[in-house]
Amino acid sequence: MRKSTRRSVTAAALAGTLTVAGPTAAQAGQNGESRTASGPSCAEADGPATLLTIDYGNGTPTSGIPDLTTTHATAADASYVVPSGADHAVVHKVTLGDPAYVSDGAPRSESATNDVHEGTFVVGDEQRYEFSVLLKDWKPFRPGDSESGDIIFQGKHAGGNLPSFYLMTKRNGIAFRSPTLDLQSTVVDDFRPHVDRWMHFRVDVSWTDDDTGYYRISTRLPGASQFTLRQAYENVRTFHPVNPAEFGYLKWGLYRPGQSLEKGDVPTRTVHHDDIRVLDLSRT
């Protein structure tokens, strides 16, 4: 299996419009809410080196990165960019029962870094993933509703494998899950006060094919100035594809596995993402 090849090419070399260091241009979310925390920045000289920033500053679904994968769903509004504060954010939308919102055989609309070198990971990497998410007009869970979850961010093994990890809305909370390891924990107890507001997530991973890796999940919810560690899994195998795979990559958007109108699931969901960042924790 391919070991870590430390990224020597900056993301700026991939696309001249891409920001790779310092605060992103998109510093204000909808309702004028700041999307950047006060205190030390992850991009400061004594912090982790920034490998990739996707901030949608140029107003396009690729954020100026030619190889960034955008949705395979065919609906015109399955993915698009909207103004957000002083900048832009990407929108993913899925309507159940409509084949135009089906991608790769399932109801989903997602973006991915599978063809962006700086957005991939291999055994030996130690990386931080940050993203901001806004649940747009999100219908809350009520007793008797379908309890299916909506996946909003994934660390995915290549080759059609299960994800190493993902974050999903579940009832009225947000959970972290590693399906192969059967790990799951709630990292946002109740998102209902934060619907239509930006929530911020950080996932630190040491990618290993033995039991020396870790997942560490932190959140910064509206009104908080710093990230708070919500869950940590230490001494676990984090790179564990079932089928052979030499690398993994990130996906974000909306994936609604196993959901249908017949089961009583919410017909349409819409989610906004912004400020997706990959940082190298080995280079501080």
Side-chain angles (χ1 to χ4, degrees), residues 20-279:
V20 296
T24 63
Q27 293 194 5
Q30 291 192 355
N31 304 322
E33 181 181 336
S34 173
R35 290 205 293 267
T36 57
S38 62
S41 167
C42 292
E44 289 180 354
D46 58 350
T50 303
L51 299 174
L52 180 66
T53 297
I54 301 170
D55 61 13
Y56 298 99
N58 73 344
T60 69
T62 65
S63 193
I65 307 170
D67 293 327
L68 186 70
T69 298
T70 55
T71 185
H72 293 159
T74 58
D77 61 351
S79 182
Y80 54 98
V81 172
V82 294
S84 178
D87 210 299
H88 299 84
V90 68
V91 178
H92 293 91
K93 174 183 173 182
V94 175
T95 296
L96 300 175
D98 188 335
Y101 296 92
V102 171
S103 175
D104 300 323
R108 58 183 158 195
S109 179
E110 297 174 295
S111 298
T113 61
N114 51 302
D115 289 327
V116 181
H117 178 64
E118 301 298 321
T120 61
F121 54 82
V122 297
V123 172
D125 282 340
E126 189 175 6
Q127 295 184 343
R128 169 171 291 169
Y129 310 114
E130 294 183 347
F131 68 96
S132 299
V133 65
L134 183 149
L135 304 178
K136 180 64 176 173
D137 299 331
W138 202 267
K139 181 182 178 182
F141 172 83
R142 294 182 176 86
D145 289 350
S146 169
E147 297 190 13
S148 299
D150 296 276
I151 295 175
I152 58 175
F153 191 89
Q154 303 184 55
K156 185 82 164 59
H157 298 304
N161 284 283
L162 290 172
S164 170
F165 73 87
Y166 56 79
L167 287 111
M168 64 175 176
T169 63
K170 185 70 172 177
R171 301 181 183 92
N172 288 321
I174 295 177
F176 171 91
R177 178 164 172 76
S178 178
T180 300
L181 300 183
D182 196 25
L183 302 174
Q184 183 170 316
S185 57
T186 298
V187 295
V188 176
D189 294 326
D190 189 350
F191 61 66
R192 286 175 295 179
H194 313 308
V195 169
D196 295 325
R197 302 178 70 188
W198 287 103
M199 295 178 284
H200 316 279
F201 294 84
R202 173 183 289 170
V203 181
D204 293 351
V205 187
S206 176
W207 292 108
T208 65
D209 54 6
D210 58 22
D211 294 335
T212 62
Y214 64 75
Y215 297 113
R216 297 168 185 163
I217 308 96
S218 303
T219 66
R220 181 168 64 85
L221 300 179
S225 61
Q226 302 289 342
F227 279 93
T228 299
L229 180 67
R230 300 295 182 182
Q231 181 64 51
Y233 296 104
E234 307 288 342
N235 300 314
V236 294
R237 180 182 179 183
T238 53
F239 199 94
H240 42 63
V242 176
N243 305 315
E246 291 194 350
F247 72 97
Y249 59 96
L250 305 177
K251 299 180 76 175
W252 59 94
L254 192 57
Y255 176 28
R256 310 186 65 187
Q259 298 190 36
S260 68
L261 296 176
E262 291 73 20
K263 294 179 181 179
D265 291 293
V266 175
T268 297
R269 294 281 202 198
T270 304
V271 64
H272 296 193
H273 284 79
D274 201 3
D275 296 330
I276 295 96
R277 296 209 299 165
V278 181
L279 301 104

